[in-house]
Amino acid sequence: MTAATAVPEPVVLRALAAVNAGVCGAGRVAAGMLLIAMTAIVLTQIVFRYLLNDSLIWTEEVSKTLMVWSAFLIAPWAYRYSANVRIEMFVDALPAALRQALHLALNLLVVWILAVLFRESFGLVERGFSVSAASLPIPVGWFLRARRDRFAAMLLVGIELVVRDVLALRHRDRDFSVPGAQRIGIKEGE
């Protein structure tokens, strides 16, 4: 019996992976679309200001909001696929088991921070609905909802990564990393 058949992937992990892959993929596409929209809005403002000698008052606020939304939309994907900036020189010197344990500890810390941010974001969104945007007659709460929703998505990704880390520590002969993700600090053959 091979190692791959000896330890089946838990149903919970498969379900989380399927949900996270869909949410992260959709967020990545949406972030790209928002960047295109932001670029079009900024170019429109340039045309109006310098060619038509008329300035649009809403373009700066909308383009800044789209930029923030795109960052929050791509964040779960970047977290899941290890696409964030990291420094590995200290981690590389550690034994493989200790690196994996450190990875688990860091993911647990991230999950805790995300849980706190998610809980606090409800009050932020609620307060945002009592304030209107400066140049648009839209409550700021609509802009802040993207943060709350993305904290929830990142929390699900964090839970998936913790489950993967626990499984990797228990079954060192198997690779439980996210398919297509960079393996942080784990070298091939260890």
Side-chain angles (χ1 to χ4, degrees):
M1 186 183 315
T2 65
T5 58
V7 183
E9 194 173 75
V11 174
V12 172
L13 180 58
R14 279 197 310 263
L16 266 175
V19 168
N20 287 336
V23 169
C24 290
R28 184 177 176 195
V29 169
M33 290 171 44
L34 289 183
L35 288 175
I36 291 169
M38 182 182 68
T39 304
I41 289 170
V42 169
L43 289 174
T44 301
Q45 173 64 357
I46 291 170
V47 168
F48 268 79
R49 179 174 287 170
Y50 296 108
L51 295 179
L52 303 176
N53 205 22
D54 186 21
S55 186
L56 302 173
I57 62 170
W58 55 269
T59 56
E60 182 180 353
E61 187 169 18
V62 171
S63 62
K64 280 195 270 184
T65 300
L66 293 180
M67 183 172 49
V68 170
W69 275 7
S70 65
F72 275 99
L73 283 167
I74 199 69
W77 178 87
Y79 180 33
R80 185 168 194 259
Y81 291 99
S82 301
N84 292 312
V85 175
R86 61 186 177 273
I87 300 172
E88 295 181 353
M89 66 185 204
F90 298 114
V91 175
D92 287 345
L94 299 173
L98 189 54
R99 281 194 301 254
Q100 191 64 48
L102 180 61
H103 197 252
L104 172 61
L106 289 174
N107 276 326
L108 285 169
L109 178 63
V110 169
V111 165
W112 175 69
I113 291 169
L114 288 170
V116 170
L117 289 171
F118 178 65
R119 185 188 74 221
E120 294 298 321
S121 68
F122 282 92
L124 179 68
V125 171
E126 185 178 318
R127 287 187 302 277
F129 278 110
S130 65
V131 178
S132 288
S135 63
L136 299 170
I138 299 171
V140 175
W142 289 112
F143 299 134
L144 298 175
R145 282 200 57 190
R147 295 177 188 181
R148 183 187 67 201
D149 298 345
R150 293 290 104 186
F151 286 144
M154 288 177 60
L155 191 55
L156 285 176
V157 168
I159 292 167
E160 176 192 353
L161 296 179
V162 166
V163 170
R164 288 181 183 280
D165 288 341
V166 169
L167 289 170
L169 278 172
R170 293 191 69 208
H171 308 286
R172 295 187 189 184
D173 57 337
R174 294 255 339 256
D175 180 16
F176 288 99
S177 61
V178 174
Q182 300 173 14
R183 296 192 67 206
I184 300 174
I186 310 293
K187 300 229 185 293
E188 294 301 319
E190 291 189 282

